[in-house]
Amino acid sequence: MTALDVIDEALRQPAIGRRRDLTSRLSRLRGRLADPAIRVVVVGGLKQGKSHLVNALLGTSVCPVADDVASAAPAVIRHADQSWAAVVRPGQQRLDPVDLDRIAEEISGGQVVRAEIGVPRAVLSGGLVIVDTPGVDGLRSEHTSRTLAELAEADAVLAVTDSLTELSPAELQFLRFATTICPNVLGVLTKTDMSPRWRSHLERNRMLLAEAGLAIPLVAVSSVLRERALLTSSQDVNAESGFPALVGYLENTVKAQAGLLARRSASEAILAVTEQVSLGLRAELSTQDPTSLAGLEDAQRAAELLRRQSSRWQNMLMDGMADLMSDVDHDLRERTRIILRHTDQAFDKADPAKTWEQFCDWLADKLTDAVLRNYDWTVERTHWLAQRIAEQFDEESRGTLPDLGLRDPARVLEKMGGLLTPDLAPPGIANKVITGLRGSYSGMLMFGLLTSLMGMPLVNFVSVGAGAVMGAKTLKEERDAQLKRRQAVAKTAVQRHVDELVFQVGKHSRDALRQVQRRLREHFTEQAEQLQDALSDSIRRARELANADIVARNQRNQSITEEINTLVALRQRAQALAITQ
């Protein structure tokens, strides 16, 4: 019996068919097993070397690799006779062809949902498909939902971490969760060329995995040495890179044993599903004692608890989003207030007419940094709130958060444009001459009248000297006044620009958070409705059984026992799948 046959038999079981979530899981698994492609999903934290690993494995640069960029969308790479690339953009289903030289930029730009790439590489022959995923951070990363969606379709997983440090608790948590979705996981330690202690870290990570009860093998590789080996055709350098072990795993374990890996995945999924259903049936069977209504009471208590939880998570969502909107707005205003204080201090000492261009560049960098930091903080707080709400539900619901779809404010910054230049032109030569003459005339006239009382002519060396001094003083005072005016005009222009930015970005953030609130409300409402349906069904059956006569109760007992026995037989066939050669 094949894995598809066992899954089809599981889907035909009435006890499993009553659980929409479990039938959906088995249906997705069946669709994946029916696909002849062998999907190997590469996962790991940010900046752990996933994309570099994929490039080195394929011997070509298709994934973004740089200190300041990262993959923002999954890249599905398969074998092709001629190289090609295409992307799926938000709101679309079709593939848009793009140049292969630009595919890394598209993947890192955050404007695509998925990238599809075909390259003529021998390692991809036989139906092997490599999927490079966005970096995650435990179970609370911005891109975790996309990565988990790819994990659900995986035949095997390459879990990547660098060899600079040992596995963190967050990485172990993610690995434990990943193995529940796909049991075929290989750990890959990258960047051995940068870590002189990579061997000790490799052994330490093996101990940590064993202590966590995770049977995950580990290999250590260097993508830099692999690329050098490909350039120089050096077998020694290639062996030192560690990639032969990785390629051997893909050839001998993934490709050669694709059927066994698929059966293992099917076996794990069916065992988990039948265990959940069997627990429910055994619990129902325990309520069949006519002298006890414990099952009905437990179901009613669970329903009452769910009603309280529904009110609690809804209030938590509304209060949390209101607080978050207020905190995000305050954070943005606080960041811009600091920038304005620095602006005032700078213009109190400098002439805007001389430093305006340099200041505009500085202000654009600071405002962009403030907006992006505010956005990153918003994403972190939003995921924290989603996790807190998820804690009100069962364990299975906590690991299936929706894609929150927070929009990057880059487009708002682009629409804002640059800071408008106010009139900062200093007075011309003619204005300065007139100002100087006005001051010198009044000084010469005043001192000329005084000296005329002493018998001296109106124009004499005293009045002329006094006029020159007064003219210079007037000119200096006018120059200082003009500087103060330019400084005030510059500060006003900056204040208006910052106010407009806060207004536009604040509107963008509020709209984005309202969209997140709607998505979370719809997601958790669906979770609550599924739990409510299951509890309502349990209460209904418990009441029917509590009120039924002994004949009906015995008939239901027999039906439950038959369903349990059928599930036991199904579990035995699922266990046999994992050991069938």
Side-chain angles (χ1 to χ4, degrees):
M1 181 174 287
T2 66
L4 292 178
D5 293 334
V6 178
I7 293 176
D8 289 339
E9 182 179 352
L11 289 171
R12 287 194 295 269
Q13 300 304 316
I16 297 177
R18 290 192 289 266
R19 290 286 302 273
R20 291 178 297 173
D21 55 337
L22 300 182
T23 55
S24 175
R25 177 180 177 181
L26 291 177
S27 297
R28 289 196 304 269
L29 176 62
R30 192 191 190 288
R32 177 164 61 83
L33 295 180
D35 187 354
I38 307 169
R39 296 174 70 91
V40 178
V41 179
V42 185
V43 300
L46 293 169
K47 296 304 176 185
Q48 298 296 303
K50 300 187 313 304
S51 299
H52 200 181
L53 172 74
V54 174
N55 289 345
L57 178 64
L58 301 177
T60 183
S61 296
V62 292
C63 300
V65 177
D67 293 337
D68 56 345
V69 299
S71 297
V76 183
I77 310 165
R78 62 185 77 246
H79 185 270
D81 295 333
Q82 298 292 331
S83 297
W84 59 270
V87 297
V88 178
R89 305 191 185 279
Q92 298 180 355
Q93 297 296 328
R94 69 177 188 275
L95 288 172
D96 287 342
V98 298
D99 293 336
L100 189 62
D101 295 339
R102 292 187 57 250
I103 191 63
E105 178 183 349
E106 292 280 357
I107 294 172
S108 61
Q111 302 300 316
V112 300
V113 176
R114 187 179 76 258
E116 296 276 352
I117 304 168
V119 289
R121 291 296 181 270
V123 71
L124 298 177
S125 62
L128 188 68
V129 176
I130 303 293
V131 183
D132 182 29
T133 61
V136 299
D137 182 12
L139 297 177
R140 296 175 57 186
S141 169
E142 170 69 7
H143 303 297
T144 298
S145 296
R146 292 183 178 180
T147 300
L148 293 181
E150 295 297 333
L151 275 179
E153 305 295 326
D155 294 293
V157 175
L158 299 183
V160 178
T161 183
D162 63 43
S163 57
L164 303 177
T165 59
E166 62 185 40
L167 287 169
S168 66
E171 288 177 312
L172 289 172
Q173 180 188 19
F174 182 79
L175 286 173
R176 184 178 293 106
F177 186 75
T179 54
T180 63
I181 300 177
C182 177
N184 312 312
V185 180
L186 173 70
V188 183
L189 270 67
T190 59
K191 305 181 183 179
T192 58
D193 54 287
M194 299 174 58
S195 175
R197 300 183 56 194
W198 67 266
R199 290 180 178 84
S200 62
H201 288 155
L202 177 63
E203 294 304 320
R204 175 59 179 163
N205 287 341
R206 284 172 175 159
M207 292 177 58
L208 291 174
L209 290 173
E211 292 172 358
L214 298 174
I216 298 177
L218 292 179
V219 297
V221 300
S222 168
S223 301
V224 173
L225 293 180
R226 166 72 169 184
E227 291 175 340
R228 185 181 304 169
L230 294 177
L231 287 174
T232 61
S233 300
S234 172
Q235 296 297 327
D236 293 337
V237 176
N238 188 47
E240 186 180 353
S241 72
F243 269 78
L246 178 57
V247 174
Y249 173 80
L250 295 177
E251 293 289 342
N252 302 325
T253 301
V254 176
K255 292 169 66 174
Q257 302 182 32
L260 177 59
L261 295 180
R263 290 193 296 272
R264 285 181 56 192
S265 297
S267 175
E268 293 286 343
I270 295 173
L271 288 175
V273 168
T274 53
E275 179 63 22
Q276 290 189 48
V277 176
S278 297
L279 286 174
L281 291 175
R282 292 191 185 97
E284 182 179 346
L285 189 62
S286 68
T287 66
Q288 301 307 302
D289 184 359
T291 62
S292 174
L293 296 178
L296 176 59
E297 294 174 355
D298 290 343
Q300 290 174 334
R301 281 195 296 269
E304 180 61 29
L305 178 61
L306 179 61
R307 282 192 290 270
R308 291 198 298 268
Q309 287 176 336
S310 297
S311 176
R312 188 182 302 119
W313 77 256
Q314 291 177 20
N315 292 334
M316 185 181 296
L317 177 61
M318 290 188 293
D319 295 343
M321 293 305 297
D323 293 341
L324 181 55
M325 289 183 186
S326 176
D327 292 344
V328 168
D329 182 71
H330 179 270
D331 178 76
L332 178 62
R333 292 182 181 275
E334 181 62 26
R335 293 180 189 275
T336 55
R337 280 164 59 88
I338 294 174
I339 295 174
L340 288 175
R341 283 199 294 269
H342 288 304
T343 299
D344 292 342
Q345 294 172 2
F347 283 146
D348 285 340
K349 300 176 182 179
D351 186 353
K354 298 178 181 179
T355 61
W356 185 253
E357 292 185 2
Q358 297 89 334
F359 171 77
C360 287
D361 294 338
W362 174 86
L363 181 64
D365 291 341
K366 289 296 183 182
L367 289 178
T368 300
D369 181 71
V371 171
L372 294 181
R373 287 181 180 273
N374 176 260
Y375 171 75
D376 292 340
W377 184 75
T378 303
V379 170
E380 181 180 352
R381 278 287 303 275
T382 303
H383 279 278
W384 175 82
L385 176 60
Q387 283 294 130
R388 281 199 60 199
I389 298 173
E391 290 172 0
Q392 305 301 315
F393 294 82
D394 57 17
E395 289 291 339
E396 184 176 352
S397 302
R398 297 178 191 178
T400 57
L401 292 178
D403 182 6
L404 300 183
L406 279 170
R407 299 176 295 169
D408 194 304
R411 292 187 178 179
V412 178
L413 295 175
E414 292 175 0
K415 292 181 180 179
M416 280 289 300
L419 175 61
L420 298 178
T421 303
D423 181 14
L424 299 175
I429 298 298
N431 185 277
K432 294 179 181 179
V433 171
I434 293 173
T435 301
L437 289 176
R438 184 173 65 248
S440 62
Y441 173 77
S442 60
M444 186 176 66
L445 181 61
M446 180 176 61
F447 280 90
L449 291 174
L450 289 175
T451 54
S452 65
L453 298 177
M454 295 182 291
M456 299 175 67
L458 183 64
V459 178
N460 55 72
F461 71 92
V462 176
S463 62
V464 170
V469 172
M470 294 292 289
K473 182 176 182 298
T474 302
L475 189 61
K476 182 179 182 304
E477 291 175 349
E478 179 65 18
R479 185 167 58 247
D480 292 342
Q482 288 291 338
L483 176 60
K484 294 292 185 184
R485 184 193 69 82
R486 291 195 297 274
Q487 291 172 336
V489 169
K491 292 178 182 179
T492 301
V494 173
Q495 180 69 57
R496 290 176 179 172
H497 180 74
V498 172
D499 288 344
E500 178 65 17
L501 180 137
V502 170
F503 174 77
Q504 296 293 345
V505 175
K507 176 66 165 59
H508 171 87
S509 298
R510 289 191 296 273
D511 291 345
L513 289 175
R514 290 191 185 97
Q515 182 66 25
V516 169
Q517 183 177 8
R518 284 191 287 270
R519 291 190 179 191
L520 289 177
R521 184 177 64 242
E522 292 169 359
H523 172 77
F524 289 116
T525 297
E526 181 180 358
Q527 295 284 344
E529 288 175 351
Q530 291 181 1
L531 292 175
Q532 184 64 51
D533 290 345
L535 285 174
S536 298
D537 189 49
S538 297
I539 292 175
R540 179 185 58 79
R541 291 199 303 269
R543 284 175 176 169
E544 290 175 354
L545 294 170
N547 297 326
D549 56 24
I550 190 64
V551 175
R553 185 175 293 110
N554 290 337
Q555 290 177 346
R556 180 55 184 162
N557 284 346
Q558 183 178 359
S559 175
I560 294 175
T561 303
E562 291 175 353
E563 288 183 340
I564 292 176
N565 292 335
T566 302
L567 292 176
V568 170
L570 184 61
R571 286 179 60 85
Q572 293 173 349
R573 284 189 283 276
Q575 290 170 341
L577 283 177
I579 59 176
T580 302
Q581 298 297 325

